[in-house]
PDB file of all heavy atoms in Angstrom:
ATOM      1  N   ILE U 403      -3.424 -11.395   5.480  1.00 98.00           N
ATOM      2  CA  ILE U 403      -3.668 -11.424   6.913  1.00 98.00           C
ATOM      3  C   ILE U 403      -2.365 -11.607   7.705  1.00 98.00           C
ATOM      4  O   ILE U 403      -1.653 -12.597   7.521  1.00 98.00           O
ATOM      5  CB  ILE U 403      -4.660 -12.548   7.292  1.00 98.00           C
ATOM      6  CG1 ILE U 403      -5.846 -12.544   6.335  1.00 98.00           C
ATOM      7  CG2 ILE U 403      -5.052 -12.508   8.760  1.00 98.00           C
ATOM      8  CD1 ILE U 403      -7.126 -12.119   6.820  1.00 98.00           C
ATOM      9  N   SER U 405      -2.171 -11.881  11.022  1.00 98.00           N
ATOM     10  CA  SER U 405      -2.335 -12.479  12.360  1.00 98.00           C
ATOM     11  C   SER U 405      -1.877 -13.932  12.252  1.00 98.00           C
ATOM     12  O   SER U 405      -2.269 -14.644  11.349  1.00 98.00           O
ATOM     13  CB  SER U 405      -3.746 -12.381  12.796  1.00 98.00           C
ATOM     14  OG  SER U 405      -3.933 -13.174  13.976  1.00 98.00           O
ATOM     15  N   PRO U 406      -1.122 -14.396  13.268  1.00 97.00           N
ATOM     16  CA  PRO U 406      -0.771 -15.801  13.262  1.00 97.00           C
ATOM     17  C   PRO U 406      -1.906 -16.699  13.635  1.00 97.00           C
ATOM     18  O   PRO U 406      -1.813 -17.893  13.454  1.00 97.00           O
ATOM     19  CB  PRO U 406       0.368 -15.869  14.277  1.00 97.00           C
ATOM     20  CG  PRO U 406       0.365 -14.626  15.062  1.00 97.00           C
ATOM     21  CD  PRO U 406      -0.509 -13.615  14.368  1.00 97.00           C
ATOM     22  N   ARG U 407      -3.019 -16.111  14.154  1.00 97.00           N
ATOM     23  CA  ARG U 407      -4.174 -16.938  14.511  1.00 97.00           C
ATOM     24  C   ARG U 407      -5.231 -16.901  13.423  1.00 97.00           C
ATOM     25  O   ARG U 407      -5.880 -15.895  13.175  1.00 97.00           O
ATOM     26  CB  ARG U 407      -4.801 -16.379  15.812  1.00 97.00           C
ATOM     27  CG  ARG U 407      -3.866 -16.482  16.994  1.00 97.00           C
ATOM     28  CD  ARG U 407      -4.610 -16.403  18.321  1.00 97.00           C
ATOM     29  NE  ARG U 407      -5.459 -15.239  18.417  1.00 97.00           N
ATOM     30  CZ  ARG U 407      -6.438 -15.161  19.297  1.00 97.00           C
ATOM     31  NH1 ARG U 407      -6.705 -16.195  20.102  1.00 97.00           N
ATOM     32  NH2 ARG U 407      -7.167 -14.066  19.363  1.00 97.00           N
ATOM     33  N   SER U 409      -8.054 -18.272  13.356  1.00 93.00           N
ATOM     34  CA  SER U 409      -9.454 -18.081  13.773  1.00 93.00           C
ATOM     35  C   SER U 409      -9.524 -16.960  14.774  1.00 93.00           C
ATOM     36  O   SER U 409     -10.454 -16.894  15.587  1.00 93.00           O
ATOM     37  CB  SER U 409     -10.009 -19.378  14.298  1.00 93.00           C
ATOM     38  OG  SER U 409      -9.105 -19.841  15.335  1.00 93.00           O
ATOM     39  N   GLY U 410      -8.594 -16.038  14.699  1.00 96.00           N
ATOM     40  CA  GLY U 410      -8.568 -14.899  15.652  1.00 96.00           C
ATOM     41  C   GLY U 410      -9.531 -13.820  15.180  1.00 96.00           C
ATOM     42  O   GLY U 410     -10.249 -13.959  14.191  1.00 96.00           O
ATOM     43  N   ARG U 411      -9.491 -12.716  15.918  1.00 97.00           N
ATOM     44  CA  ARG U 411     -10.417 -11.627  15.633  1.00 97.00           C
ATOM     45  C   ARG U 411     -10.116 -10.904  14.319  1.00 97.00           C
ATOM     46  O   ARG U 411     -11.018 -10.411  13.643  1.00 97.00           O
ATOM     47  CB  ARG U 411     -10.450 -10.664  16.822  1.00 97.00           C
ATOM     48  CG  ARG U 411     -11.132 -11.260  18.019  1.00 97.00           C
ATOM     49  CD  ARG U 411     -11.208 -10.279  19.203  1.00 97.00           C
ATOM     50  NE  ARG U 411      -9.906 -10.190  19.871  1.00 97.00           N
ATOM     51  CZ  ARG U 411      -9.466 -11.051  20.809  1.00 97.00           C
ATOM     52  NH1 ARG U 411     -10.221 -12.088  21.129  1.00 97.00           N
ATOM     53  NH2 ARG U 411      -8.320 -10.882  21.371  1.00 97.00           N
ATOM     54  N   THR U 412      -8.823 -10.878  13.964  1.00 98.00           N
ATOM     55  CA  THR U 412      -8.454 -10.234  12.688  1.00 98.00           C
ATOM     56  C   THR U 412      -9.144 -10.954  11.554  1.00 98.00           C
ATOM     57  O   THR U 412      -9.791 -10.323  10.677  1.00 98.00           O
ATOM     58  CB  THR U 412      -6.931 -10.223  12.496  1.00 98.00           C
ATOM     59  OG1 THR U 412      -6.321  -9.697  13.702  1.00 98.00           O
ATOM     60  CG2 THR U 412      -6.496  -9.396  11.296  1.00 98.00           C
ATOM     61  N   HIS U 413      -9.010 -12.284  11.562  1.00 97.00           N
ATOM     62  CA  HIS U 413      -9.626 -13.080  10.511  1.00 97.00           C
ATOM     63  C   HIS U 413     -11.141 -12.884  10.514  1.00 97.00           C
ATOM     64  O   HIS U 413     -11.776 -12.743   9.459  1.00 97.00           O
ATOM     65  CB  HIS U 413      -9.283 -14.559  10.718  1.00 97.00           C
ATOM     66  CG  HIS U 413     -10.104 -15.473   9.885  1.00 97.00           C
ATOM     67  ND1 HIS U 413      -9.786 -15.772   8.592  1.00 97.00           N
ATOM     68  CD2 HIS U 413     -11.268 -16.138  10.130  1.00 97.00           C
ATOM     69  CE1 HIS U 413     -10.723 -16.566   8.086  1.00 97.00           C
ATOM     70  NE2 HIS U 413     -11.599 -16.800   9.003  1.00 97.00           N
ATOM     71  N   THR U 481      -4.070  -6.612   9.998  1.00 98.00           N
ATOM     72  CA  THR U 481      -3.084  -6.968  11.015  1.00 98.00           C
ATOM     73  C   THR U 481      -3.608  -6.717  12.442  1.00 98.00           C
ATOM     74  O   THR U 481      -4.313  -5.745  12.636  1.00 98.00           O
ATOM     75  CB  THR U 481      -1.754  -6.204  10.797  1.00 98.00           C
ATOM     76  OG1 THR U 481      -0.820  -6.539  11.850  1.00 98.00           O
ATOM     77  CG2 THR U 481      -1.959  -4.715  10.803  1.00 98.00           C
ATOM     78  N   PRO U 482      -3.169  -7.543  13.402  1.00 98.00           N
ATOM     79  CA  PRO U 482      -3.459  -7.176  14.775  1.00 98.00           C
ATOM     80  C   PRO U 482      -2.455  -6.097  15.208  1.00 98.00           C
ATOM     81  O   PRO U 482      -1.370  -5.999  14.609  1.00 98.00           O
ATOM     82  CB  PRO U 482      -3.258  -8.475  15.537  1.00 98.00           C
ATOM     83  CG  PRO U 482      -2.353  -9.296  14.675  1.00 98.00           C
ATOM     84  CD  PRO U 482      -2.533  -8.868  13.249  1.00 98.00           C
ATOM     85  N   ASN U 483      -2.837  -5.339  16.206  1.00 98.00           N
ATOM     86  CA  ASN U 483      -1.889  -4.432  16.819  1.00 98.00           C
ATOM     87  C   ASN U 483      -1.011  -5.253  17.780  1.00 98.00           C
ATOM     88  O   ASN U 483      -1.519  -5.888  18.727  1.00 98.00           O
ATOM     89  CB  ASN U 483      -2.706  -3.392  17.611  1.00 98.00           C
ATOM     90  CG  ASN U 483      -1.875  -2.454  18.463  1.00 98.00           C
ATOM     91  OD1 ASN U 483      -0.696  -2.692  18.657  1.00 98.00           O
ATOM     92  ND2 ASN U 483      -2.517  -1.419  18.974  1.00 98.00           N
ATOM     93  N   TYR U 484       0.276  -5.306  17.474  1.00 98.00           N
ATOM     94  CA  TYR U 484       1.211  -5.964  18.360  1.00 98.00           C
ATOM     95  C   TYR U 484       2.220  -4.937  18.836  1.00 98.00           C
ATOM     96  O   TYR U 484       2.934  -4.367  18.005  1.00 98.00           O
ATOM     97  CB  TYR U 484       1.963  -7.100  17.604  1.00 98.00           C
ATOM     98  CG  TYR U 484       1.304  -8.436  17.573  1.00 98.00           C
ATOM     99  CD1 TYR U 484       0.030  -8.642  18.021  1.00 98.00           C
ATOM    100  CD2 TYR U 484       2.006  -9.552  17.071  1.00 98.00           C
ATOM    101  CE1 TYR U 484      -0.589  -9.911  17.970  1.00 98.00           C
ATOM    102  CE2 TYR U 484       1.433 -10.793  17.029  1.00 98.00           C
ATOM    103  CZ  TYR U 484       0.123 -10.978  17.484  1.00 98.00           C
ATOM    104  OH  TYR U 484      -0.438 -12.241  17.419  1.00 98.00           O
ATOM    105  N   ALA U 485       2.233  -4.658  20.108  1.00 98.00           N
ATOM    106  CA  ALA U 485       3.176  -3.715  20.679  1.00 98.00           C
ATOM    107  C   ALA U 485       3.173  -2.395  19.934  1.00 98.00           C
ATOM    108  O   ALA U 485       4.212  -1.874  19.526  1.00 98.00           O
ATOM    109  CB  ALA U 485       4.583  -4.309  20.734  1.00 98.00           C
ATOM    110  N   LEU U 486       1.973  -1.900  19.699  1.00 98.00           N
ATOM    111  CA  LEU U 486       1.722  -0.582  19.054  1.00 98.00           C
ATOM    112  C   LEU U 486       2.162  -0.532  17.575  1.00 98.00           C
ATOM    113  O   LEU U 486       2.384   0.544  17.009  1.00 98.00           O
ATOM    114  CB  LEU U 486       2.436   0.550  19.825  1.00 98.00           C
ATOM    115  CG  LEU U 486       2.170   0.655  21.321  1.00 98.00           C
ATOM    116  CD1 LEU U 486       2.944   1.823  21.880  1.00 98.00           C
ATOM    117  CD2 LEU U 486       0.662   0.899  21.559  1.00 98.00           C
ATOM    118  N   GLN U 487       2.314  -1.708  16.995  1.00 98.00           N
ATOM    119  CA  GLN U 487       2.717  -1.766  15.602  1.00 98.00           C
ATOM    120  C   GLN U 487       1.966  -2.874  14.857  1.00 98.00           C
ATOM    121  O   GLN U 487       1.199  -3.612  15.480  1.00 98.00           O
ATOM    122  CB  GLN U 487       4.221  -1.953  15.476  1.00 98.00           C
ATOM    123  CG  GLN U 487       5.019  -0.791  14.880  1.00 98.00           C
ATOM    124  CD  GLN U 487       4.546  -0.327  13.522  1.00 98.00           C
ATOM    125  OE1 GLN U 487       3.858  -1.050  12.821  1.00 98.00           O
ATOM    126  NE2 GLN U 487       4.912   0.896  13.102  1.00 98.00           N
ATOM    127  N   VAL U 518      -6.899  -4.669  14.070  1.00 98.00           N
ATOM    128  CA  VAL U 518      -7.666  -5.187  15.197  1.00 98.00           C
ATOM    129  C   VAL U 518      -6.780  -5.171  16.419  1.00 98.00           C
ATOM    130  O   VAL U 518      -5.630  -5.635  16.351  1.00 98.00           O
ATOM    131  CB  VAL U 518      -8.223  -6.588  14.904  1.00 98.00           C
ATOM    132  CG1 VAL U 518      -8.981  -7.131  16.133  1.00 98.00           C
ATOM    133  CG2 VAL U 518      -9.105  -6.605  13.684  1.00 98.00           C
ATOM    134  N   GLU U 519      -7.336  -4.627  17.526  1.00 98.00           N
ATOM    135  CA  GLU U 519      -6.498  -4.496  18.709  1.00 98.00           C
ATOM    136  C   GLU U 519      -7.295  -4.790  19.952  1.00 98.00           C
ATOM    137  O   GLU U 519      -8.550  -4.880  19.913  1.00 98.00           O
ATOM    138  CB  GLU U 519      -5.922  -3.076  18.768  1.00 98.00           C
ATOM    139  CG  GLU U 519      -7.023  -2.019  18.964  1.00 98.00           C
ATOM    140  CD  GLU U 519      -6.497  -0.591  19.001  1.00 98.00           C
ATOM    141  OE1 GLU U 519      -5.327  -0.372  18.996  1.00 98.00           O
ATOM    142  OE2 GLU U 519      -7.365   0.321  19.009  1.00 98.00           O
ATOM    143  N   GLY U 520      -6.531  -4.859  21.062  1.00 97.00           N
ATOM    144  CA  GLY U 520      -7.200  -5.148  22.339  1.00 97.00           C
ATOM    145  C   GLY U 520      -7.523  -3.896  23.129  1.00 97.00           C
ATOM    146  O   GLY U 520      -8.469  -3.849  23.871  1.00 97.00           O
ATOM    147  N   ALA U 521      -6.705  -2.873  22.942  1.00 96.00           N
ATOM    148  CA  ALA U 521      -6.877  -1.695  23.803  1.00 96.00           C
ATOM    149  C   ALA U 521      -6.553  -0.364  23.116  1.00 96.00           C
ATOM    150  O   ALA U 521      -7.370   0.499  23.010  1.00 96.00           O
ATOM    151  CB  ALA U 521      -6.134  -1.873  25.073  1.00 96.00           C
ATOM    152  N   TYR U 522      -5.279  -0.247  22.751  1.00 97.00           N
ATOM    153  CA  TYR U 522      -4.810   1.080  22.347  1.00 97.00           C
ATOM    154  C   TYR U 522      -3.635   1.048  21.361  1.00 97.00           C
ATOM    155  O   TYR U 522      -2.815   0.145  21.399  1.00 97.00           O
ATOM    156  CB  TYR U 522      -4.339   1.844  23.615  1.00 97.00           C
ATOM    157  CG  TYR U 522      -3.611   3.116  23.328  1.00 97.00           C
ATOM    158  CD1 TYR U 522      -4.327   4.290  23.075  1.00 97.00           C
ATOM    159  CD2 TYR U 522      -2.214   3.159  23.260  1.00 97.00           C
ATOM    160  CE1 TYR U 522      -3.655   5.457  22.754  1.00 97.00           C
ATOM    161  CE2 TYR U 522      -1.555   4.321  22.982  1.00 97.00           C
ATOM    162  CZ  TYR U 522      -2.283   5.477  22.741  1.00 97.00           C
ATOM    163  OH  TYR U 522      -1.651   6.646  22.412  1.00 97.00           O
ATOM    164  N   GLY U 523      -3.565   2.043  20.508  1.00 97.00           N
ATOM    165  CA  GLY U 523      -2.416   2.242  19.595  1.00 97.00           C
ATOM    166  C   GLY U 523      -2.700   2.067  18.144  1.00 97.00           C
ATOM    167  O   GLY U 523      -1.865   2.448  17.273  1.00 97.00           O
ATOM    168  N   GLY U 524      -3.901   1.499  17.834  1.00 97.00           N
ATOM    169  CA  GLY U 524      -4.166   1.176  16.423  1.00 97.00           C
ATOM    170  C   GLY U 524      -4.349   2.373  15.505  1.00 97.00           C
ATOM    171  O   GLY U 524      -4.157   2.242  14.295  1.00 97.00           O
ATOM    172  N   THR U 549     -11.346  -2.014  18.206  1.00 98.00           N
ATOM    173  CA  THR U 549     -10.767  -2.321  19.541  1.00 98.00           C
ATOM    174  C   THR U 549     -11.651  -3.365  20.185  1.00 98.00           C
ATOM    175  O   THR U 549     -12.793  -3.079  20.611  1.00 98.00           O
ATOM    176  CB  THR U 549     -10.682  -1.024  20.377  1.00 98.00           C
ATOM    177  OG1 THR U 549     -10.044  -0.049  19.605  1.00 98.00           O
ATOM    178  CG2 THR U 549      -9.959  -1.260  21.670  1.00 98.00           C
ATOM    179  N   LEU U 550     -11.139  -4.590  20.239  1.00 96.00           N
ATOM    180  CA  LEU U 550     -11.952  -5.728  20.716  1.00 96.00           C
ATOM    181  C   LEU U 550     -11.138  -6.509  21.726  1.00 96.00           C
ATOM    182  O   LEU U 550     -10.370  -7.433  21.375  1.00 96.00           O
ATOM    183  CB  LEU U 550     -12.313  -6.655  19.536  1.00 96.00           C
ATOM    184  CG  LEU U 550     -12.967  -6.014  18.342  1.00 96.00           C
ATOM    185  CD1 LEU U 550     -12.943  -6.945  17.133  1.00 96.00           C
ATOM    186  CD2 LEU U 550     -14.384  -5.602  18.643  1.00 96.00           C
ATOM    187  N   PRO U 551     -11.225  -6.183  23.002  1.00 92.00           N
ATOM    188  CA  PRO U 551     -10.396  -6.850  23.989  1.00 92.00           C
ATOM    189  C   PRO U 551     -10.612  -8.382  24.029  1.00 92.00           C
ATOM    190  O   PRO U 551      -9.703  -9.109  24.175  1.00 92.00           O
ATOM    191  CB  PRO U 551     -10.807  -6.196  25.294  1.00 92.00           C
ATOM    192  CG  PRO U 551     -11.842  -5.200  25.047  1.00 92.00           C
ATOM    193  CD  PRO U 551     -12.102  -5.142  23.594  1.00 92.00           C
TER     194      PRO U 551
HETATM  195  C1  FMN P 227       2.250  -9.864  21.328  1.00 75.58           C
HETATM  196  C2  FMN P 227       1.023  -9.061  21.408  1.00 75.58           C
HETATM  197  C3  FMN P 227       1.081  -7.687  21.538  1.00 75.58           C
HETATM  198  C4  FMN P 227      -0.045  -6.909  21.621  1.00 75.58           C
HETATM  199  N1  FMN P 227       0.055  -5.553  21.729  1.00 75.58           N
HETATM  200  C5  FMN P 227      -1.053  -4.804  21.745  1.00 75.58           C
HETATM  201  C6  FMN P 227      -0.999  -3.385  21.800  1.00 75.58           C
HETATM  202  O1  FMN P 227       0.078  -2.778  21.816  1.00 75.58           O
HETATM  203  N2  FMN P 227      -2.144  -2.678  21.819  1.00 75.58           N
HETATM  204  C7  FMN P 227      -3.367  -3.303  21.810  1.00 75.58           C
HETATM  205  O2  FMN P 227      -4.334  -2.613  21.830  1.00 75.58           O
HETATM  206  N3  FMN P 227      -3.490  -4.632  21.731  1.00 75.58           N
HETATM  207  C8  FMN P 227      -2.359  -5.417  21.715  1.00 75.58           C
HETATM  208  N4  FMN P 227      -2.477  -6.803  21.649  1.00 75.58           N
HETATM  209  C9  FMN P 227      -3.822  -7.405  21.530  1.00 75.58           C
HETATM  210  C10 FMN P 227      -4.146  -7.802  20.118  1.00 75.58           C
HETATM  211  O3  FMN P 227      -4.018  -6.734  19.211  1.00 75.58           O
HETATM  212  C11 FMN P 227      -5.607  -8.307  19.978  1.00 75.58           C
HETATM  213  O4  FMN P 227      -5.756  -9.375  20.912  1.00 75.58           O
HETATM  214  C12 FMN P 227      -5.912  -8.809  18.589  1.00 75.58           C
HETATM  215  O5  FMN P 227      -7.273  -9.199  18.541  1.00 75.58           O
HETATM  216  C13 FMN P 227      -5.052 -10.002  18.205  1.00 75.58           C
HETATM  217  O6  FMN P 227      -5.433 -10.422  16.859  1.00 75.58           O
HETATM  218  P1  FMN P 227      -5.978 -11.913  16.614  1.00 75.58           P
HETATM  219  O7  FMN P 227      -7.270 -12.013  17.392  1.00 75.58           O
HETATM  220  O8  FMN P 227      -6.169 -11.953  15.152  1.00 75.58           O
HETATM  221  O9  FMN P 227      -4.946 -12.846  17.123  1.00 75.58           O
HETATM  222  C14 FMN P 227      -1.300  -7.569  21.590  1.00 75.58           C
HETATM  223  C15 FMN P 227      -1.412  -8.945  21.500  1.00 75.58           C
HETATM  224  C16 FMN P 227      -0.253  -9.698  21.431  1.00 75.58           C
HETATM  225  C17 FMN P 227      -0.351 -11.213  21.287  1.00 75.58           C
END
Side-chain angles (χ1 to χ4, degrees):
I403 315 250
S405 170
R407 294 201 307 161
S409 52
R411 289 181 283 279
T412 309
H413 168 84
T481 176
N483 172 348
Y484 272 10
L486 308 179
Q487 247 302 345
V518 178
E519 65 182 353
Y522 170 82
T549 308
L550 308 166

